[in-house]
Amino acid sequence: MKIRKLLDSDLSELYKIADKVREDNVGDVIHIRALLEISNICYRNCDYCGLRAENENLTRYAMTMQEIEILGKKSFDLGYKTLVIQSGENNFYHIDKLAEVVNNLSNYGTTVTLSLGELDYKHLKTLKEAGAKRYLLKFETADKQIYSKLHKGYTLDGRLDCLRAIKELGYEVGSGFLVGLPNENLDSVAQNLALLEKLQCDMAGIGVFIPHKDTPLRALPCGSVQLTKKCVAITRILLPKCNIPITTSVGEFGDKYELFGGGANVIMQNITPNVFADNYCIYPKKHSLTDMQKDREKLVYDLINIGRKPI
Ligand code: SAM
Ligand code: SF4
């Protein structure tokens, strides 16, 4: 299998190929996306995630519609063209109210991306009609058994049905997987990459698993950053025009910009105010104070310094 062979290649070789494919297909532009974590309330219990419903060691929050709209508009005024609205999977928000905010932000000029988990078709449709352009929903693992084990009560088929609905409704589709989940080996990683290719995603996010102390996977080691970098490079080779972010989890390890040399062309800047962000604890993170303006200025400065064109 071609992908399995690529996984055995040297990282520096893969980087060289991926960098050329990136240059030829998406050029030197780096897309900066603002990430707003609107709520950590979640009714699911994914075994790896600190926001899982059974974790009682965090204070749950949900931003108000007004807060979301004000922060979204402020980010646009500061130059962030895309706003990624992310949350735990919940039915806390009335969908028509959320649609109104999406509509107001879209009319303001923001490209709205949603990452709210597996929503019903009718809710996805309402949000699309309100102006949302993109939807991010990782399949997490392409192995049906591993999927069901990590997400009790849910199936990979259900996840893929939701991704199909998202595509059918005309959203640009983002998906991806985690590197380092239990019982996965290199063949499973090859299967994950093959599924990404099959889905022909517009965006592909590959995260590295980081254990959280309040989850059933607390005792597991982190996923391999080296393998994650290989996966990003191979994704660029398989999907040359795809938008590929440096996922925030990979950014926790060392020089996050390094991945721009290995196929990535997108970066997410977290703009969630600290009063909320401290409780959006998917996995343990380095603590940093959010300053929407200064963070963007620094990012733009850094990206220009490495010879890229931030937009
Ligand atoms: N609830 C939505 C969902 O699951 O699609 C969006 C929010 S969820 C926190 C976003 C992503 O966080 C998931 O797709 C998952 O890959 C990632 N994530 C969760 N726990 C993680 C962990 N321990 N290490 C790395 N990434 C993790
Ligand atoms: Fe909830 Fe998403 Fe975390 Fe799963 S990954 S527990 S759906 S926030």
Side-chain angles (χ1 to χ4, degrees):
M1 189 188 183
K2 181 179 125 202
I3 298 175
R4 185 65 186 78
K5 261 189 111 175
L6 283 171
L7 278 169
D8 284 332
S9 318
D10 213 47
L11 181 63
S12 57
E13 281 308 306
L14 283 174
Y15 259 43
K16 262 189 231 153
I17 307 169
D19 200 37
K20 176 82 176 78
V21 177
R22 189 268 312 151
E23 197 181 355
D24 292 348
N25 288 277
V26 292
D28 287 338
V29 167
I30 303 284
H31 302 273
I32 300 175
R33 319 282 199 212
L35 172 65
L36 187 62
E37 298 157 335
I38 62 167
S39 171
N40 65 356
I41 301 171
C42 189
Y43 51 51
R44 286 181 68 147
N45 261 310
C46 306
D47 274 0
Y48 42 81
C49 179
L51 305 191
R52 64 199 309 274
E54 281 174 15
N55 180 13
E56 289 175 356
N57 291 333
L58 80 168
T59 309
R60 302 283 172 172
Y61 72 84
M63 288 182 193
T64 63
M65 295 298 148
Q66 206 190 11
E67 281 165 336
I68 301 168
E69 191 167 326
I70 289 172
L71 289 164
K73 286 182 173 168
K74 184 174 172 199
S75 70
F76 183 80
D77 292 341
L78 291 172
Y80 295 93
K81 294 188 170 60
T82 293
L83 180 70
V84 181
I85 298 180
Q86 194 184 75
S87 81
E89 201 172 298
N90 62 48
N91 42 23
F92 180 86
Y93 292 110
H94 193 289
I95 215 71
D96 293 332
K97 295 259 181 290
L98 198 55
E100 202 179 308
V101 173
V102 168
N103 192 250
N104 292 345
L105 290 171
S106 303
N107 290 337
Y108 201 70
T110 304
T111 301
V112 177
T113 300
L114 300 173
S115 172
L116 309 172
E118 286 177 45
L119 298 186
D120 291 346
Y121 187 88
K122 64 175 192 309
H123 288 167
L124 289 167
K125 189 165 184 276
T126 303
L127 294 167
K128 180 73 184 65
E129 285 168 359
K133 289 278 180 304
R134 309 184 183 120
Y135 206 98
L136 306 180
L137 186 77
K138 286 191 205 149
F139 55 78
E140 317 289 0
T141 170
D143 184 307
K144 285 187 184 192
Q145 261 132 35
I146 297 178
Y147 189 94
S148 296
K149 206 155 181 277
L150 294 171
H151 310 94
K152 280 167 207 82
Y154 295 90
T155 63
L156 178 63
D157 286 339
R159 195 80 169 170
L160 296 179
D161 283 347
C162 188
L163 278 165
R164 265 188 286 277
I166 291 166
K167 193 163 198 155
E168 189 191 302
L169 284 164
Y171 283 96
E172 282 181 36
V173 184
S175 197
F177 58 90
L178 279 175
V179 171
L181 291 178
N183 300 313
E184 288 210 333
N185 53 29
L186 280 184
D187 289 332
S188 341
V189 177
Q191 272 183 42
N192 291 340
L193 287 161
L195 181 54
L196 252 191
E197 186 183 23
K198 187 172 163 209
L199 292 172
Q200 288 292 307
C201 301
D202 303 291
M203 298 157 284
I206 296 147
V208 58
F209 163 71
I210 304 173
H212 184 297
K213 68 175 176 47
D214 298 317
T215 67
L217 304 188
R218 63 182 69 81
L220 249 67
C222 281
S224 158
V225 179
Q226 176 95 349
L227 181 57
T228 309
K229 288 177 178 175
K230 280 190 179 183
C231 288
V232 168
I234 295 171
T235 300
R236 172 59 67 207
I237 297 165
L238 298 173
L239 297 168
K241 299 221 179 281
C242 193
N243 279 329
I244 307 179
I246 296 176
T247 49
T248 39
S249 56
V250 179
E252 292 289 311
F253 299 85
D255 177 8
K256 60 181 174 190
Y257 299 137
E258 196 232 59
L259 256 172
F260 286 130
N265 68 326
V266 175
I267 189 159
M268 304 244 196
Q269 176 62 57
N270 199 325
I271 62 157
T272 312
N274 284 82
V275 57
F276 301 115
D278 291 346
N279 278 307
Y280 200 86
C281 192
I282 311 172
Y283 47 77
K285 293 177 193 163
K286 284 182 223 140
H287 189 79
S288 63
L289 287 173
T290 309
D291 183 323
M292 234 193 255
Q293 181 167 9
K294 284 199 183 120
D295 291 342
R296 187 181 160 89
E297 282 167 6
K298 173 162 181 357
L299 193 51
V300 167
Y301 176 86
D302 288 349
L303 293 173
I304 292 172
N305 256 346
I306 58 165
R308 296 300 167 84
K309 298 176 187 148
I311 61 166

